[in-house]
């Protein structure tokens, strides 16, 4: 599951090339896809494709070895220096981050993804 943090990023800046042009945005992302395998390569390729399709959005990705990943995220949460996006499994892994208030609630925008995400990934929000 991709998670978005509440702290945001001050990396947005207006493109000087055209008045009213889309803002250039830089987002930080951390993941633990360091093991060389087909799935991890596919995820990384999707990030690259996204940036190609959205040239005003740059994703600064940091690949952290799995053995260090959870510790790094907990340390960043304690220091209020979370990346804009990171990978985390829902449930017990996510609960401490929810309790700490370092995640951005996305309940209000979930309808945006109803036609994109398969139903098995769609949480029941009440």
């Amino acid at each position: 599951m991709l998670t978005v943090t509440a702290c945001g990023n001050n990396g947005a800046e207006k493109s000087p090339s055209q008045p009213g042009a889309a803002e250039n945005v830089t987002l930080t992302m951390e993941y633990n896809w360091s093991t060389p395998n087909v799935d991890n390569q596919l995820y990384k390729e999707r990030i690259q494709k996204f940036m190609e399709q959205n040239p005003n959005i740059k994703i600064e990705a940091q690949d952290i070895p799995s053995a260090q990943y959870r510790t790094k995220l907990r340390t960043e949460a304690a220091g209020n220096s979370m990346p804009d996006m990171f990978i985390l499994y829902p449930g017990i892994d996510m609960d401490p981050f929810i309790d700490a208030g370092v995640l951005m609630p996305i309940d209000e925008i979930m309808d945006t993804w109803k036609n994109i995400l398969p139903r098995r990934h769609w949480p029941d929000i009440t």
Side-chain angles (χ1 to χ4, degrees):
M1 169 172 241
L2 177 65
T3 307
V4 181
T5 61
C7 55
N9 185 317
N10 295 327
E13 53 189 57
K14 203 68 158 164
S15 173
S17 60
Q18 297 178 6
E23 288 185 23
N24 290 325
V25 177
T26 299
L27 300 171
T28 57
M29 180 177 186
E30 293 178 359
Y31 50 73
N32 59 343
W33 301 327
S34 56
T35 306
N37 65 47
V38 175
D39 289 341
N40 291 346
Q41 186 60 37
L42 179 65
Y43 299 144
K44 292 174 185 180
E45 288 172 4
R46 286 184 178 174
I47 293 170
Q48 290 302 316
K49 185 174 181 178
F50 175 85
M51 288 192 296
E52 290 169 9
Q53 293 174 343
N54 300 277
N56 63 316
I57 301 173
K58 178 181 178 187
I59 298 176
E60 292 180 350
Q62 184 177 11
D63 194 348
I64 301 162
S66 292
Q68 301 163 4
Y69 188 69
R70 287 185 175 110
T71 301
K72 184 169 185 352
L73 287 177
R74 285 192 294 266
T75 302
E76 290 170 331
N80 198 24
S81 61
M82 298 292 292
D84 295 308
M85 301 178 291
F86 59 97
I87 305 303
L88 193 64
Y89 293 103
I92 195 163
D93 282 350
M94 193 175 285
D95 289 344
F97 297 97
I98 293 169
D99 295 342
V102 296
L103 302 179
M104 181 179 84
I106 59 171
D107 300 353
E108 294 178 13
I109 60 173
M110 288 298 288
D111 285 342
T112 304
W113 297 313
K114 276 190 176 180
N115 296 324
I116 299 170
L117 296 175
R119 179 68 187 151
R120 63 186 165 98
H121 296 293
W122 189 248
D124 290 322
I125 297 175
T126 56

